[in-house]
Amino acid sequence: MMRLKGKLALLGLCLVLLIPCTAGAQAGSAREAAAELRVRMDALLGEHALLAVFAMQKRYDGAADHEQAAVLLGKNTERLAATLRSTYGEEAAKTFEPLWSSYVEALLNYAQAAAAGEETTRTQAANGLEAYDKELALFWARLLPDLGAAGLEEGTKRHTDLMLQAFDAYTDKNDAAAYKAMREAYAHAVASADLLAAGMAAQSPDRFDASGMKTRKADLRSALGRLLGEHALTAAFAMQKSIDGASDFDFDQAATALNENAVDLAAAIASVYGETAGTSFHTAWTSRTRYILDYAKAAASKDESARTIAAGNLEKAQAELAQFFTDANPQHGSKPELLNGLSTQIGQMTMALDHSALGEYAAAYERTETAYAQMSPLADLLAQEISDQYPDRFPDAPASVQKTVTMQIGVKELTVNGQTIRMDVSPALREGVVYIPLRVVAEAAGATVTWDAATSTTRLAWGGNQASFPVGSDQAEVNGRKKSAGGAPTVMQDGRVMVPIDILGEATGWKAELGKDDGSIRLTTTVEERF
């Protein structure tokens, strides 16, 4: 395995500059390239969401470094454009970059209007953001027509809504709600990145084998990258709060968000090693986080003795974490590599704080940018060590499982692979057409289901596919294309959406079989087993 110092420098540079590297898309197979694309999109959109909220807070507070925060957000835009350029060419990047930059500027204008108390301007900025939501959805729909325009617009609107919720809560001094919405915005951005990356890979099968994004190993890598990246930026925000002289409550809520992130990280670790190990990891990780915040407080108060103590405690916490993974992965763990990576990353964070304390804001934000970028190779290292230790649990290939759903007309129960689930309504025979309850059946078959009340439409997502079923229509839209089977419409019954079984099968490809005499219904599908 490559030594971490070289690997960190190489992969960190890949993430920051988005150029082809030996660990990236051009060095390995098309499956590896697809996995790398997913990681890159996750990191960039996740970074955008957190940086945007943070830059809005800085603009609202009139902080001395608000311009540098906006510059870092702009660099994120440049890297997103570079990713599109590498996949779609110059024209796509030229269309995207000014559009996304204008969207970001509209977010900052919203914050500026709030700071000035100009409610009319703030409302205008909010209306402008709604317009950008539509424009961005159209851009992605033109680029990725198989994803469907309606779902893309819903996703872009949700992205904006969550960031405005986080900012509005901050201006209302409801810091708990602000950090909750910030975490939701980050998670939503990463989930959206997964969807976009899958669509991008599907369009270029000669370069990307989308199955590389869908392995349990890829899911582990993505989960660790998402949580470690969130930790890095949230910790940087919390440290900045100490320099800015934020209220104790604001600082404490940033710390709470870090603790919630730690709980999620520990749950991911526990899913691999068990609950006892998850508890041990949580203790070690929260100690590391506490010492980060101790360092920040000491730096803000210019207490050099306390800062030295916090730095020493951080060094010990890093060693404990490295030892934890070495013990957990006795055959494949590497304490020197992990310790070097953790120390390098935390060094960037503390240097960023030290620069901020001196008013050297450009240097501070460069360090923050690097600290975030370094979490991706750390996640890669951990995911590789874990998958090497447990190759049967984390194969580098999609693991599929067949799901069989059985029901009966007039009976409010279904079984999925032998497990019985109660339903609110039963399958029904209406004018010769068999209707089944869409949500419960789709979820049993492995799809994610959402309801759009504005258009009375149920949306499904599974395996990189999307389908929508409008009530009253005899058609479904699947990956942007219309599907129809027999002319019977989707209907509402007792508050539940009921769909003709033929159109469900036509839209999803799930095999449907009807019993000749007993009213039985059988659906079968093969889904990828995910981490």
Side-chain angles (χ1 to χ4, degrees), residues 483-499:
K483 297 281 187 178
S484 182
T490 296
V491 299
M492 292 288 290
Q493 177 182 319
D494 298 330
R496 294 294 179 185
V497 175
M498 304 287 286
V499 64

Side-chain angles (χ1 to χ4, degrees), residues 294-509:
D294 287 347
Y295 187 96
K297 290 179 179 178
S301 62
K302 296 182 172 53
D303 186 336
E304 291 304 318
S305 175
R307 179 152 57 174
T308 300
I309 292 171
N313 287 335
L314 262 175
E315 187 174 344
K316 293 177 184 177
Q318 311 276 50
E320 289 178 8
L321 281 166
Q323 189 63 53
F324 170 86
F325 282 105
T326 300
D327 294 341
N329 301 318
Q331 298 177 30
H332 298 282
S334 174
K335 182 177 178 179
E337 285 185 329
L338 188 59
L339 181 57
N340 190 4
L342 287 166
S343 298
T344 301
Q345 194 275 334
I346 201 64
Q348 294 295 325
M349 292 180 66
T350 53
M351 282 191 286
L353 184 76
D354 293 341
H355 282 302
S356 288
L358 295 172
E360 299 167 352
Y361 301 126
Y365 279 91
E366 286 178 7
R367 299 294 186 182
T368 299
E369 179 183 23
T370 304
Y372 177 76
Q374 286 175 334
M375 280 307 195
S376 183
L378 275 174
D380 292 348
L381 175 64
L382 287 174
Q384 188 64 54
E385 290 188 353
I386 291 170
S387 59
D388 285 347
Q389 186 73 28
Y390 303 105
D392 293 340
R393 293 177 60 189
F394 298 98
D396 196 15
S400 298
V401 60
Q402 186 179 71
K403 286 201 171 184
T404 301
V405 180
T406 59
M407 299 161 284
Q408 192 163 4
I409 291 173
V411 178
K412 293 183 178 181
E413 287 184 349
L414 65 74
T415 61
V416 53
N417 288 6
Q419 180 181 1
T420 300
I421 299 173
R422 289 285 300 173
M423 299 185 289
D424 294 336
V425 295
S426 62
L429 182 64
R430 299 175 54 168
E431 299 180 359
V433 176
V434 174
Y435 279 83
I436 58 176
L438 180 54
R439 175 180 287 275
V440 66
V441 171
E443 289 179 341
T448 300
V449 183
T450 57
W451 167 249
D452 184 349
T455 60
S456 298
T457 298
T458 302
R459 305 190 194 283
L460 312 185
W462 76 101
N465 299 293
Q466 291 186 335
S468 59
F469 296 83
V471 172
S473 173
D474 63 356
Q475 293 185 325
E477 184 176 290
V478 184
N479 296 331
R481 295 181 174 86
K482 298 291 185 181
K483 297 281 187 178
S484 182
T490 296
V491 299
M492 292 288 290
Q493 177 182 319
D494 298 330
R496 294 294 179 185
V497 175
M498 304 287 286
V499 64
I501 194 168
D502 287 347
I503 188 61
L504 181 67
E506 175 69 18
T508 62

Side-chain angles (χ1 to χ4, degrees), residues 227-352:
L227 292 168
L228 289 173
E230 181 187 30
H231 164 83
L233 282 185
T234 306
F237 298 167
M239 295 170 84
Q240 283 270 3
K241 294 292 184 184
S242 66
I243 297 299
D244 292 345
S247 68
D248 289 341
F249 185 70
D250 186 6
F251 185 85
D252 289 345
Q253 291 307 308
T256 297
L258 280 171
N259 289 334
E260 290 172 351
N261 169 271
V263 169
D264 291 344
L265 261 173
I269 297 302
S271 71
V272 176
Y273 302 112
E275 291 299 327
T276 300
T279 300
S280 297
F281 170 84
H282 183 263
T283 299
W285 189 260
T286 51
S287 293
R288 177 184 188 266
T289 302
R290 183 171 64 255
Y291 299 140
I292 289 172
L293 299 180
D294 287 347
Y295 187 96
K297 290 179 179 178
S301 62
K302 296 182 172 53
D303 186 336
E304 291 304 318
S305 175
R307 179 152 57 174
T308 300
I309 292 171
N313 287 335
L314 262 175
E315 187 174 344
K316 293 177 184 177
Q318 311 276 50
E320 289 178 8
L321 281 166
Q323 189 63 53
F324 170 86
F325 282 105
T326 300
D327 294 341
N329 301 318
Q331 298 177 30
H332 298 282
S334 174
K335 182 177 178 179
E337 285 185 329
L338 188 59
L339 181 57
N340 190 4
L342 287 166
S343 298
T344 301
Q345 194 275 334
I346 201 64
Q348 294 295 325
M349 292 180 66
T350 53
M351 282 191 286

Side-chain angles (χ1 to χ4, degrees), residues 90-103:
E90 189 62 36
E91 288 305 313
K94 283 184 176 180
T95 302
F96 171 81
E97 189 164 1
L99 176 59
W100 192 258
S101 296
S102 296
Y103 170 72

